[in-house]
Amino acid sequence: MKKYKLNQNRQAENTHKTNEQSDTESSDVLCEIDANGIATLTLNRVGKKNAFDDAMIESLTHYLDTLAAIPTIRCLLLRANGTHFSAGADLHWMQSMAEKSVKENHQDAQQLAHLMQVLDTFPHPTIAVVQGWALGGALGLICCCDIVIAQSNTQFCLSEVKLGLIPATIGPYVCRAIGVRYARRYMLTAERIDANTAQHIGLIHLIVDTEAKADAKEYRLEQQITQLTQAILNNSPTALQQAKALCHTCENQPIDKKLIKYTSHLIADIRVSEQGQEGLSAFFDKRQPSWCANTKVSTKERE
């Protein structure tokens, strides 16, 4: 499938390898968009185990803002090159910030907090694909994604207290994902969390076996990703955005008359919307809806 690369000045390029792409390939964050509107952000600071600093945070935020404004985007994959998803914050960067003023530290922390918010409120479905280590702030990225796939040998850790720090900016997202009870345990002990435990506590959703040979493992992983993305492509883009927004609203509102009124208006409005009408018509006509017309999805998936 043809893919396009998005660079920092918002231009798209064909991803066939050329000498002109060497600068992009060495970037801390890579961005690609395929013909189906599946965007992929890849952490690419391999030599630092994809630990993030202020530059990587700025790049991720930039790409998320850019992708959110592209109307043809249907889904976002968050991946990482190398053995590890991310070792969290770059400790050399953290050390340098210790020498800065309180005001500068506040501004720096707000950039990370803003990144988490932008990822959490990204309008389209987000899928994190995790391998190796996912430490500290990396768990914030994971908890902000809608769906998380992890390889079976992945190790997670909220390691901040070992360094005299706390998982402050990622805390709200971690507590929401795994609940305060589990958050209190793992934030206070800084224990390593294996993939099975991570799935049990709600940190991840799916585990891909890594015991198989490399080729078989890669095939299983890509098969799982394809299965999820195809399921998403089968669904109404507008309905997906509104369903995601609904989850945020329900999380932050009590079940009262105001919320009941809001949800009643929401379903009434979407029934008569263009995509609502198209979806119902396609079902009764036993055909694919218009949003599936230009995507490589299986009819059996819809049935």
Side-chain angles (χ1 to χ4, degrees):
M1 183 179 295
K2 193 174 183 181
K3 292 185 178 180
Y4 298 91
K5 186 164 294 180
L6 195 67
N7 61 25
Q8 285 278 29
N9 60 8
R10 304 192 182 192
Q11 294 176 339
E13 305 173 2
N14 193 301
T15 59
H16 292 303
K17 301 295 183 182
T18 67
N19 291 333
E20 294 176 356
Q21 292 178 319
S22 58
D23 289 342
T24 305
E25 293 295 340
S26 64
S27 299
D28 289 346
V29 180
L30 307 178
C31 181
E32 292 182 340
I33 306 169
D34 75 11
N36 283 338
I38 304 296
T40 302
L41 287 180
T42 304
L43 308 183
N44 192 46
R45 205 168 180 236
V46 178
K48 295 289 186 179
K49 297 182 174 63
N50 293 316
F52 45 81
D53 58 8
D54 53 346
M56 180 179 273
I57 291 169
E58 183 180 356
S59 292
L60 282 168
T61 304
H62 164 79
Y63 280 128
L64 288 168
D65 285 337
T66 301
L67 292 169
I70 299 175
T72 54
I73 296 299
R74 301 284 300 275
C75 179
L76 171 68
L77 297 175
L78 180 62
R79 310 189 68 166
N81 284 333
T83 304
H84 303 291
F85 178 75
S86 174
D90 186 319
L91 295 183
H92 292 292
W93 167 56
M94 296 287 281
Q95 185 180 40
S96 70
M97 290 309 302
E99 300 172 358
K100 304 290 184 179
S101 67
V102 172
K103 182 179 180 180
E104 288 172 316
N105 269 276
H106 282 172
Q107 292 172 340
D108 190 74
Q110 285 171 2
Q111 287 184 332
L112 179 58
H114 179 61
L115 167 62
M116 297 300 163
Q117 182 189 33
V118 171
L119 177 58
D120 187 56
T121 58
F122 190 76
H124 310 289
T126 53
I127 302 172
V129 183
V130 188
Q131 78 279 359
W133 296 348
L135 310 179
L139 270 72
L141 298 176
I142 291 167
C143 291
C144 287
C145 287
D146 301 315
I147 304 169
V148 184
I149 307 169
Q151 295 186 11
S152 59
N153 63 352
T154 306
Q155 294 284 314
F156 305 85
C157 185
L158 290 160
S159 54
E160 286 85 353
V161 292
K162 287 185 176 182
L163 303 172
L165 306 173
I166 58 173
T169 54
I170 69 171
Y173 308 101
V174 173
C175 289
R176 181 187 62 191
I178 68 176
V180 172
R181 190 66 173 165
Y182 281 124
R184 286 167 71 166
R185 171 180 174 175
Y186 291 110
M187 285 185 183
L188 297 177
T189 63
E191 296 172 75
R192 288 292 176 100
I193 306 168
D194 62 29
N196 288 326
T197 302
Q199 186 180 48
H200 174 71
I201 66 177
L203 183 60
I204 66 174
H205 299 96
L206 299 165
I207 299 174
V208 175
D209 183 22
T210 53
E211 297 302 318
K213 292 182 180 179
D215 289 347
K217 177 180 69 176
E218 186 67 20
Y219 172 77
R220 290 178 185 175
L221 179 60
E222 295 306 320
Q223 187 179 45
Q224 184 65 76
I225 294 169
T226 299
Q227 182 180 344
L228 285 171
T229 54
Q230 285 190 343
I232 288 168
L233 291 172
N234 277 326
N235 303 328
S236 157
T238 299
L240 286 172
Q241 290 188 50
Q242 294 205 19
K244 187 167 178 176
L246 175 63
C247 289
H248 281 289
T249 301
C250 291
E251 176 195 4
N252 297 310
Q253 297 288 337
I255 303 176
D256 55 14
K257 291 182 178 179
K258 181 180 178 180
L259 182 61
I260 291 170
K261 183 178 180 181
Y262 167 76
T263 55
S264 298
H265 282 298
L266 195 61
I267 186 60
D269 291 342
I270 204 162
R271 280 176 187 160
V272 298
S273 69
E274 181 179 349
Q275 289 192 11
Q277 292 287 299
E278 168 63 13
L280 290 170
S281 296
F283 177 82
F284 287 112
D285 293 343
K286 299 186 183 303
R287 61 174 174 82
Q288 287 191 339
S290 59
W291 52 80
C292 291
N294 297 317
T295 58
K296 295 182 180 180
V297 295
S298 168
T299 302
K300 290 182 179 179
E301 291 287 338
R302 295 198 69 247
E303 297 172 350

